[in-house]
Amino acid sequence: MIMITNTFQDLTLSRLGFGAMRLPMMETDPSKIDEEQVFRMVDYALEHGINYFDTAFPYHAGYSEIVLGKALARHPRESFYLATKYPGHQISDSYDPAAIFEEQLKKCGVDYFDFYLLHNVYENSVQTYMDERWGMLEYFVKQKELGRIRHLGFSSHAHPETLEKFLDYCGDRIEFCQIQLNYLDWTLQEAKKKYELLTERGVPVWVMEPLRGGRLANLSEEEKAVLRELRPEESCIDWAFRFLQGLPNVKMILSGMSAYEQMVQNVETFRTSKPLNEEEMNALMDLAEGMKNAIPCTACRYCCAGCPMQLDIPKLIAAYNDLHFATNLMTVMNLDVLPEDKKASACIGCRKCTKVCPQNIDIPEVMKGLVAEVAKHPTWKDMSEQRAKEAEEIRKSWKA
């Protein structure tokens, strides 16, 4: 068996899909996508049974659609399913549905999209998506009737109540819904309630953030030991995917793979279905409860677009989480070398970031927390000076 599959309507979908939000970047120029590696990853994916590829208009500042389209164009059109999304959550007068849709087709180099989603329907965007003056849903339903969209859905980080409201609005015009779902968010972000709501409504579930932005791929040694006792042969990444394999209404699991090696590893995991038993599920839920002290950022970067100080908020939150656990030399160094106007202390508390955060994180408060956390630790300069002193002592002892 190359890849386990699911049935969606009359289609056979690989249970693992390639998400293109975190594509590999060039080592020589971290601002550019490593196209050669993306091509290798796409080739490997198709050779090993992955047939679903997911991108979006804003990913990689618009370049994700272009690069993924170029990589897929080297293969027969009928060999893959391509999905992208309309950025209604970023609506402005320049975001005309027709203009954006035509641009996306051109960027991806296709005549139609197999799957098309209204992007990021949540508390601060749901009214825009339902606003008749924009006519978003109606326009894309029309494109489906014309055969330019094969299947129409939406992605959402909304609370269950908002999700239900939008489902009521869409009715049977929506065929699937993509939500953030992993064992940590099963309770933390009410993913269980969302999954059950969608299942009751007969709406198939697509999963994003199965590894919680990489957090579930980097467990502590103590956390790994808990899982190793039950499944010695499986990694923490395997556990995250096995959890999802046990949910029958999950039809697609998207992984934002950013390296060829990740692709190979994930394909190997999805050669088989090994859902968790009751004992394993209970152990995983207990583990998740102990992990909830961290700020639940997934590095989606929605917060960065409107920040007047142009702070790299996900990077700063990641640093906060890191320092919150323990002193980390590299984290301290990376924070110290930031310009003063790019440090957490530069946050002016305007709250534009909080309004668009899918995780409902109080970002200005986190920035204050990071400033306080940094103050507890020695600066990179202090640590360097201390290490220099220690090195000099070693040299003296050698000479003696």
Side-chain angles (χ1 to χ4, degrees), residues 24-41:
M25 309 302 287
M26 297 288 293
E27 291 186 7
T28 54
D29 186 352
S31 67
K32 294 182 180 179
I33 297 171
D34 185 344
E35 294 190 18
E36 182 178 347
Q37 188 171 179
V38 173
F39 284 16
R40 288 183 65 212
M41 293 171 73

Side-chain angles (χ1 to χ4, degrees), residues 383-395:
M383 294 175 78
S384 297
E385 290 177 350
Q386 178 60 34
R387 293 199 168 212
K389 290 179 181 178
E390 292 172 355
E392 184 59 30
E393 290 299 319
I394 291 173
R395 291 192 195 97

Side-chain angles (χ1 to χ4, degrees), residues 47-91:
E47 289 168 8
H48 292 81
I50 292 179
N51 60 10
Y52 190 96
F53 299 83
D54 170 89
T55 183
F57 187 79
Y59 291 174
H60 287 282
Y63 284 100
S64 174
E65 289 179 325
I66 294 173
V67 173
L68 186 59
K70 288 167 65 176
L72 290 170
R74 298 153 52 249
H75 299 273
R77 181 64 180 89
E78 66 276 9
S79 67
F80 60 84
Y81 300 116
L82 176 60
T84 194
K85 310 176 189 75
Y86 174 73
H89 62 296
Q90 300 175 329
I91 196 70

Side-chain angles (χ1 to χ4, degrees), residues 185-396:
D185 287 322
W186 192 238
T187 54
L188 185 60
Q189 293 289 336
E190 300 183 289
K192 181 176 185 289
K193 291 182 180 179
K194 298 175 193 179
Y195 173 80
E196 291 174 346
L197 170 63
L198 291 165
T199 301
E200 289 169 3
R201 292 292 191 97
V203 179
V205 173
W206 264 229
V207 169
M208 56 181 159
E209 302 292 354
L211 297 175
R212 200 41 144 67
R215 174 64 178 90
L216 303 184
N218 295 285
L219 302 184
S220 67
E221 286 305 314
E222 292 79 9
E223 291 165 340
K224 289 178 183 178
V226 172
L227 303 181
R228 202 177 295 123
E229 282 290 320
L230 294 166
R231 291 196 181 191
E233 76 285 359
E234 299 217 317
S235 70
C236 52
I237 296 173
D238 294 329
W239 273 82
F241 288 136
R242 300 306 186 201
F243 165 75
L244 295 169
Q245 288 178 356
L247 301 175
N249 194 36
V250 167
K251 301 300 181 182
M252 174 55 57
I253 301 170
L254 294 166
S255 179
M257 294 168 270
S258 56
Y260 180 81
E261 293 73 20
Q262 292 175 4
M263 173 67 72
V264 174
Q265 180 181 6
N266 289 350
V267 164
E268 183 62 32
T269 299
F270 277 83
R271 287 181 184 275
T272 56
S273 179
K274 298 180 182 178
L276 307 179
N277 61 35
E278 184 176 358
E279 179 187 6
E280 292 166 340
M281 180 67 81
N282 290 336
L284 196 63
M285 291 299 102
D286 289 343
L287 183 66
E289 286 302 314
M291 295 168 60
K292 290 182 180 178
N293 289 328
I295 304 301
C297 174
T298 66
C300 68
R301 306 193 67 82
Y302 295 158
C303 55
C304 297
C307 177
M309 301 306 294
Q310 298 183 323
L311 300 181
D312 190 337
I313 296 170
K315 181 178 180 180
L316 293 171
I317 292 178
Y320 175 82
N321 284 337
D322 201 347
L323 290 177
H324 189 68
F325 286 118
T327 301
N328 184 299
L329 175 61
M330 291 301 297
T331 300
V332 173
M333 180 186 73
N334 289 335
L335 289 173
D336 277 354
V337 299
L338 289 175
E340 290 300 319
D341 63 348
K342 295 294 179 282
K343 294 182 178 180
S345 55
C347 173
I348 61 175
C350 68
R351 310 197 73 79
K352 289 183 178 180
C353 52
T354 300
K355 292 178 180 178
V356 300
C357 176
Q359 313 304 323
N360 298 309
I361 299 170
D362 189 339
I363 295 172
E365 286 302 309
V366 174
M367 294 300 102
K368 291 179 183 178
L370 178 55
V371 171
E373 197 67 39
V374 168
K376 298 177 184 178
H377 301 284
T379 66
W380 167 241
K381 180 180 178 181
D382 292 339
M383 294 175 78
S384 297
E385 290 177 350
Q386 178 60 34
R387 293 199 168 212
K389 290 179 181 178
E390 292 172 355
E392 184 59 30
E393 290 299 319
I394 291 173
R395 291 192 195 97
K396 289 179 181 178

Side-chain angles (χ1 to χ4, degrees), residues 73-266:
R74 298 153 52 249
H75 299 273
R77 181 64 180 89
E78 66 276 9
S79 67
F80 60 84
Y81 300 116
L82 176 60
T84 194
K85 310 176 189 75
Y86 174 73
H89 62 296
Q90 300 175 329
I91 196 70
S92 69
D93 290 340
S94 63
Y95 277 56
D96 172 62
I100 295 296
F101 185 70
E102 297 297 337
E103 180 180 341
Q104 289 177 297
L105 288 169
K106 183 177 180 180
K107 287 168 66 180
C108 292
V110 295
D111 297 321
Y112 65 91
F113 292 114
D114 301 280
F115 293 83
Y116 196 85
L117 298 86
L118 305 179
H119 197 179
N120 194 20
V121 177
Y122 73 117
E123 281 66 28
N124 286 349
S125 67
V126 66
Q127 288 304 134
T128 300
Y129 274 115
M130 295 169 59
D131 192 331
E132 296 302 325
R133 65 179 171 142
W134 299 111
M136 294 183 198
L137 185 56
E138 289 72 18
Y139 174 78
F140 293 117
V141 167
K142 181 63 176 178
Q143 299 311 303
K144 182 183 173 185
E145 293 171 354
L146 294 172
R148 306 175 83 201
I149 292 172
R150 300 295 170 85
H151 300 282
L152 185 61
F154 70 101
S155 68
S156 178
H157 291 277
H159 292 297
E161 297 77 16
T162 304
L163 184 59
E164 186 168 22
K165 176 181 179 181
F166 193 64
L167 288 170
D168 289 340
Y169 170 73
C170 293
D172 60 5
R173 294 176 290 182
I174 286 292
E175 301 172 76
F176 65 101
C177 179
Q178 185 168 308
I179 62 172
Q180 179 172 314
L181 178 55
N182 53 67
Y183 67 79
L184 182 62
D185 287 322
W186 192 238
T187 54
L188 185 60
Q189 293 289 336
E190 300 183 289
K192 181 176 185 289
K193 291 182 180 179
K194 298 175 193 179
Y195 173 80
E196 291 174 346
L197 170 63
L198 291 165
T199 301
E200 289 169 3
R201 292 292 191 97
V203 179
V205 173
W206 264 229
V207 169
M208 56 181 159
E209 302 292 354
L211 297 175
R212 200 41 144 67
R215 174 64 178 90
L216 303 184
N218 295 285
L219 302 184
S220 67
E221 286 305 314
E222 292 79 9
E223 291 165 340
K224 289 178 183 178
V226 172
L227 303 181
R228 202 177 295 123
E229 282 290 320
L230 294 166
R231 291 196 181 191
E233 76 285 359
E234 299 217 317
S235 70
C236 52
I237 296 173
D238 294 329
W239 273 82
F241 288 136
R242 300 306 186 201
F243 165 75
L244 295 169
Q245 288 178 356
L247 301 175
N249 194 36
V250 167
K251 301 300 181 182
M252 174 55 57
I253 301 170
L254 294 166
S255 179
M257 294 168 270
S258 56
Y260 180 81
E261 293 73 20
Q262 292 175 4
M263 173 67 72
V264 174
Q265 180 181 6
N266 289 350

